[in-house]
Amino acid sequence: MLESDRDTLNVYTFKWGTKYGPEYVNRLHNSLKKHCHTDFKFHCITDNSSGIYSNIEIIDYDTFQHTPLFTLEKVELMHQINTNNNLILDLDILIHNDITDLCIRPIDKPTFIWTHWTPEWHWEKLVPKKTACFVNSSFVRWSGDNAKFLWEYYIHNREYLDKEYQSCDKYLFYEHHLKGNKLGFWEDSDKHFYNYNEQGPNQYQYNPTASCCLFNTSHLIKMGRKCFELSETPDWAIDIWESYDESE
């Protein structure tokens, strides 16, 4: 098991490849310093630590198994870390209001974002084909060993799951939500989280009362849809993001 502080909030983010630079890690860390009012320790799991603040703990990305399921490393991490309070954040999440309550409230299941922005017609047309997903793992909390089963189930059914799903979120949605209601969701997901690249009337709009804006582009890129990364936004989002560019 990886070593982590047992009596504080342990925050993890993953950065591998060249899609995101170290500024994504550093600004995410600084956004937490501003908007999370509880003690935390920040960890970055990466294959290249160049440019990342020295006070961020580095974990070698290559110590994780690399499966065909996109971002399943999150589930492996949740199996390894059994401390009291843990949080995974995607690099492309923009925190712009207080998230303290989300970081300290009691949870009894690994807790994910419910994608309230996904159209309801997906249930009838796409869920039966397993091409839609209502689980988002951009902001995930777990406590103790209450998430160990997610990796253990994968290991026991690996051959089937590798063929059935392309992403961690779809694996979680179809195997652990629809088949047993084993996941927790932020009951106020629509209050705290919104999607910058949502295909609808709120696309690219700032929500000043929410806590976090998700950029969530990977699936849109595969579909050939126009979308923006944090570093590409022409408006309010990049202004907030760049405001976290203070020194360590």
Side-chain angles (χ1 to χ4, degrees):
M1 186 181 78
L2 296 175
E3 291 296 325
S4 295
D5 288 0
R6 184 157 297 278
D7 297 322
T8 193
L9 172 67
N10 286 285
V11 183
Y12 301 88
T13 194
F14 286 84
K15 185 184 85 69
W16 71 90
T18 59
K19 182 177 181 180
Y20 299 120
E23 71 276 11
Y24 273 83
V25 181
N26 297 336
R27 291 172 182 171
L28 182 61
H29 172 267
N30 287 344
S31 70
L32 274 172
K33 286 172 61 177
K34 182 172 182 178
H35 296 298
C36 180
H37 304 296
T38 188
D39 291 337
F40 68 87
K41 185 172 183 180
F42 197 91
H43 313 252
C44 181
I45 300 160
T46 184
D47 57 0
N48 182 1
S49 62
S50 178
I52 295 175
Y53 290 162
S54 61
N55 61 340
I56 294 174
E57 180 171 319
I58 301 300
I59 299 171
D60 185 359
Y61 175 70
D62 289 327
T63 61
F64 286 76
Q65 297 187 39
H66 306 312
T67 77
L69 275 68
F70 180 61
T71 74
L72 197 73
E73 293 92 343
K74 295 176 181 179
V75 170
E76 185 178 0
L77 176 68
M78 295 164 78
H79 181 264
Q80 294 184 32
I81 299 297
N82 304 150
T83 49
N84 294 333
N85 192 11
N86 311 288
L87 172 66
I88 295 174
L89 294 174
D90 277 358
L91 285 177
D92 58 351
I93 186 170
L94 179 65
I95 302 169
H96 57 78
N97 275 321
D98 194 295
I99 60 166
T100 308
D101 175 64
L102 294 172
C103 293
I104 64 174
R105 69 171 68 168
I107 56 169
D108 59 4
K109 297 178 180 180
T111 301
F112 299 82
I113 298 170
W114 185 260
T115 63
H116 56 88
W117 55 84
T118 301
E120 285 298 309
W121 62 264
H122 283 206
W123 281 104
E124 181 180 355
K125 300 293 185 179
L126 300 183
V127 169
K129 301 176 183 178
K130 295 186 177 180
T131 57
C133 183
F134 286 80
V135 171
N136 181 282
S137 60
S138 297
F139 191 111
V140 184
R141 265 192 61 215
W142 75 102
S143 180
D145 62 358
N146 71 0
K148 287 177 70 70
F149 71 94
L150 298 173
W151 179 252
E152 291 168 355
Y153 182 92
Y154 169 76
I155 291 299
H156 292 150
N157 300 278
R158 185 169 191 164
E159 184 175 356
Y160 159 73
L161 296 171
D162 284 349
K163 294 178 181 178
E164 190 73 5
Y165 304 109
Q166 294 183 328
S167 72
C168 176
D169 290 357
K170 285 184 178 177
Y171 158 62
L172 294 168
F173 177 61
Y174 289 99
E175 296 294 324
H176 296 292
H177 175 63
L178 293 187
K179 289 187 179 180
N181 194 30
K182 295 178 181 178
L183 308 180
F185 296 95
W186 305 110
E187 67 272 13
D188 42 8
S189 280
D190 58 341
K191 173 184 175 183
H192 289 288
F193 304 101
Y194 62 112
N195 190 336
Y196 184 88
N197 289 292
E198 176 186 357
Q199 305 294 304
N202 296 319
Q203 188 178 37
Y204 314 141
Q205 298 301 305
Y206 176 51
N207 183 346
T209 64
S211 304
C212 306
C213 183
L214 282 59
F215 281 73
N216 200 33
T217 61
S218 297
H219 64 295
L220 298 178
I221 292 170
K222 289 181 180 179
M223 297 167 69
R225 291 185 181 177
K226 179 182 177 181
C227 56
F228 289 93
E229 300 290 352
L230 258 168
S231 58
E232 301 171 337
T233 60
D235 52 17
W236 57 268
I238 199 165
D239 291 339
I240 295 174
W241 188 58
E242 289 181 344
S243 75
Y244 300 134
D245 197 19
E246 60 188 70
S247 64
E248 57 182 301

